[in-house]
């Protein structure tokens, strides 16, 4: 049975962190050693991030909170509230993002109404509360109270793929199933100041955001799908169990981001992709750059550099990941869905393809891409070290000649012109998840 992604939408909180301004705040904190100060500047500057979004309004210098808990603009101090305070804010603010993203996904899916949702999967690793986000979405969107609800918690940056894989399994088991998947993360809740390299990199890299998708095998006449969900695989690297972790402390959740993570991925990415690509005979032995799209979780700039170099991918193939990192930072589980959304927003690669309707929707997930189809190989990394991979097929309509002439090239040119040696020179301190 063929399963499709029918909509994919994103949401971010309104407060924006500008990277140079955030760096200046963290670099000015008392108690930083000379090494700590150097790490702050190096990590923030080499992260390849311009802006991030946060649900914590008082993290900006414009905040005028009467009783600041995270940042005091009067003194310039980054504060350290308890885990209880941080988690209380998660319960309030994450709920808003979960609901917003879910509603946008439903609104973007003509032919699917709230009562049609049979399964709901929510994902987050940055907070806990119960009744949880699954319950809140059911109430806010008017879903059937009997909808099957599942929550994937505390898995980390790769968790969107287990959620999509579960959705695919539900749809294969029940042809009438329609699954809503929602990932929302408030990583900025756990920001703190420290001389610890892992903590500094977390402050430089992580951000808040949400993404939601609707998956079904149902035929919806006149409404073409966006993606076909082909295959998923999970690989644990033989080393790196202690190099990436996510623990609960008294003053928020604590990140472990070993500086060897990019090297582990560099050494094992080929082996991690092998089980996935072996599922499709048309891809075996094919140069990696011949797979048109790559949806790579932008855990950090060094990781993207290593993946691009090891797989010999073009600058253009890295644009969705690098632009997501530049504009949003690392939003843990939601991030790779932002990357895939970026790919879906790209113009079709050629004008010879068939429509995104019935012809493309009936194609073989184990065969070569047909006209009107574009392959996407996607991957995300997390604690373990876990590598989750996925193979999708983008179902596209043909472009007109006029649309082809208007295809923008600015983003590709900007990334191609970006220097890459700074990340390598900063690797001893540029620890990236």
């Amino acid at each position: 049975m063929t399963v499709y992604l029918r909509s994919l939408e994103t949401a971010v909180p309104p407060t924006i962190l500008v990277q140079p301004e955030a760096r200046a705040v963290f670099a000015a904190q008392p108690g930083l050693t000379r090494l700590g100060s150097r790490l702050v500047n190096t990590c923030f500057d080499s992260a390849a991030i311009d802006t991030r979004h946060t649900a914590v309004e008082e993290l900006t210098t414009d905040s005028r909170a009467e009783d600041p808990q995270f940042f005091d603009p009067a003194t310039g101090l980054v504060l350290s509230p308890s885990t209880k305070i941080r988690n209380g804010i998660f319960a309030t603010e994450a709920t808003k993002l979960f609901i917003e993203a879910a509603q946008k996904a439903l609104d973007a899916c003509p032919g699917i109404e709230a009562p049609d949702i049979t399964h709901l999967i929510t994902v987050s690793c940055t907070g806990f509360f119960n009744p949880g986000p699954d319950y809140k979405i059911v109430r806010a969107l008017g879903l059937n109270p009997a909808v099957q609800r599942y929550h994937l918690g505390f898995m980390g940056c790769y968790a969107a793929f287990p959620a999509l894989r579960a959705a695919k399994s539900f749809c294969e088991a029940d042809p009438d199933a329609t699954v809503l998947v929602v990932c929302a993360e408030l990583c900025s809740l756990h920001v703190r100041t420290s001389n610890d390299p892992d903590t500094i990199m977390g402050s430089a890299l992580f951000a808040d955001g949400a993404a939601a998708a609707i998956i079904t095998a149902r035929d919806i006449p006149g409404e073409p799908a966006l993606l076909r969900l082909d295959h998923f695989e999970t690989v644990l690297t033989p080393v790196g169990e202690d190099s990436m972790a996510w623990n609960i402390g008294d003053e928020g959740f604590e990140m472990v981001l070993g500086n060897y993570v990019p090297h582990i991925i560099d050494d094992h990415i080929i082996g991690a992709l092998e089980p996935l690509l072996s599922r499709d005979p048309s891809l075996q032995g094919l140069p990696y750059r011949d797979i048109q799209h790559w949806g790579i979780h932008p855990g950090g700039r060094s990781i993207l550099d290593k993946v691009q170099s090891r797989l010999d991918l073009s600058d253009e193939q890295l644009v969705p990941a690098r632009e997501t990192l530049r504009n949003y930072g690392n939003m843990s589980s939601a991030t790779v869905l932002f990357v895939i959304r970026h790919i879906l927003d790209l113009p079709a690669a050629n004008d010879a393809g068939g429509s995104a309707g019935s012809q493309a929707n009936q194609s073989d997930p184990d065969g070569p891409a047909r006209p009107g189809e574009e392959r996407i190989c996607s991957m995300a990394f997390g604690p373990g070290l876990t590598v989750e991979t996925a193979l999708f097929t983008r179902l596209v309509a043909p472009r007109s000649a006029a649309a082809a002439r208007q295809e923008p090239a600015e983003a590709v040119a900007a990334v191609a012109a970006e220097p890459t040696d700074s990340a390598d020179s900063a690797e001893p301190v540029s620890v990236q998840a």
Side-chain angles (χ1 to χ4, degrees):
M1 180 176 296
T2 308
V3 179
Y4 301 103
L5 183 146
R6 291 281 175 176
S7 69
L8 176 59
E9 298 296 322
T10 63
V12 291
T15 302
I16 297 176
L17 298 177
V18 179
Q19 190 77 344
E21 296 176 2
R23 179 200 62 211
V25 168
F26 278 87
Q29 296 306 300
L32 281 180
T33 63
R34 289 182 62 184
L35 176 59
S37 179
R38 185 173 71 86
L39 285 170
V40 167
N41 287 292
T42 300
C43 290
F44 276 77
D45 288 346
S46 67
I49 294 172
D50 291 342
T51 56
R52 293 175 284 165
H53 291 255
T54 176
V56 185
E57 294 182 8
E58 65 179 63
L59 281 179
T60 69
T61 55
D62 296 332
S63 172
R64 294 295 180 266
E66 294 183 3
D67 182 23
Q69 297 175 317
F70 286 82
F71 176 68
D72 184 354
T75 63
L77 292 178
V78 175
L79 308 176
S80 190
S82 68
T83 300
K84 179 179 180 179
I85 290 175
R86 297 176 196 259
N87 197 64
I89 295 174
F90 177 87
T92 300
E93 298 301 324
T95 295
K96 297 177 184 178
L97 277 185
F98 271 110
I99 293 172
E100 179 183 353
Q103 185 66 66
K104 289 172 71 174
L106 194 59
D107 292 344
C109 195
I112 298 290
E113 303 293 338
D116 297 323
I117 302 298
T118 59
H119 300 70
L120 172 61
I121 304 173
T122 54
V123 180
S124 188
C125 70
T126 48
F128 301 92
F129 62 97
N130 201 4
D134 50 326
Y135 174 90
K136 300 291 187 180
I137 291 171
V138 170
R139 292 302 193 197
L141 270 63
L143 304 186
N144 186 337
V147 65
Q148 295 186 35
R149 294 151 41 204
Y150 303 87
H151 181 72
L152 300 184
F154 223 63
M155 297 185 78
C157 294
Y158 62 82
F161 285 161
L164 293 178
R165 183 171 57 235
K168 183 174 185 284
S169 296
F170 293 149
C171 294
E172 289 171 336
D174 179 1
D176 294 323
T178 300
V179 187
L180 173 59
V181 173
V182 193
C183 302
E185 305 285 8
L186 302 191
C187 304
S188 70
L189 283 176
H190 304 290
V191 162
R192 63 176 62 80
T193 182
S194 171
N195 286 297
D196 175 66
D198 293 355
T199 303
I200 292 172
M201 180 49 68
S203 301
L205 188 65
F206 284 96
D208 304 348
I214 291 180
I215 294 100
T216 187
R218 292 171 48 196
D219 181 38
I220 305 176
E223 296 298 336
L226 299 178
L227 289 177
R228 187 181 68 220
L229 306 187
D230 295 329
H231 302 292
F232 295 89
E233 291 289 343
T234 301
V235 171
L236 300 181
T237 61
V239 295
E241 180 177 350
D242 299 325
S243 297
M244 189 183 299
W246 190 224
N247 303 311
I248 298 177
D250 292 335
E251 297 178 341
F253 298 173
E254 299 168 352
M255 305 167 193
V256 177
L257 303 168
N259 61 7
Y260 202 63
V261 168
H263 298 282
I264 295 172
I265 293 173
D266 185 36
D267 290 341
H268 297 285
I269 190 64
I270 299 294
L273 282 170
E274 185 175 344
L276 179 75
L277 299 182
S278 67
R279 301 284 296 273
D280 186 338
S282 70
L283 299 180
Q284 294 184 39
L286 195 70
Y288 298 110
R289 68 161 54 215
D290 286 356
I291 299 174
Q292 187 165 353
H293 299 293
W294 285 83
I296 303 167
H297 167 66
R301 179 176 177 174
S302 292
I303 286 177
L304 295 180
D305 290 344
K306 293 291 187 184
V307 171
Q308 180 175 8
S309 175
R310 177 63 68 179
L311 302 183
D312 190 30
L313 302 180
S314 68
D315 290 335
E316 182 178 5
Q317 288 170 311
L318 268 290
V319 165
R322 293 196 189 277
E323 287 299 294
T324 297
L325 182 64
R326 184 186 310 281
N327 296 325
Y328 299 101
N330 184 339
M331 300 164 286
S332 192
S333 69
T335 319
V336 73
L337 298 181
F338 276 68
V339 177
I340 295 171
R341 180 67 260 180
H342 190 293
I343 293 172
L344 292 175
D345 289 336
L346 295 173
N350 58 67
D351 301 324
S355 72
S358 59
Q359 179 186 3
N361 287 359
Q362 296 300 317
S363 60
D364 181 1
D366 295 325
R370 296 181 179 184
E373 299 181 350
E374 298 172 0
R375 280 290 164 77
I376 302 172
C377 188
S378 192
M379 66 185 75
F381 320 97
L385 188 67
T386 302
V387 182
E388 289 279 350
T389 58
L391 190 64
F392 307 117
T393 299
R394 180 191 181 199
L395 308 174
V396 297
R399 288 181 299 166
S400 66
R405 289 193 297 269
Q406 295 174 3
E407 181 176 339
E410 290 82 358
V412 176
V415 173
E418 181 181 286
T420 59
D421 56 347
S422 62
D424 291 334
S425 65
E427 278 177 1
V429 295
S430 184
V431 185
Q432 313 224 2

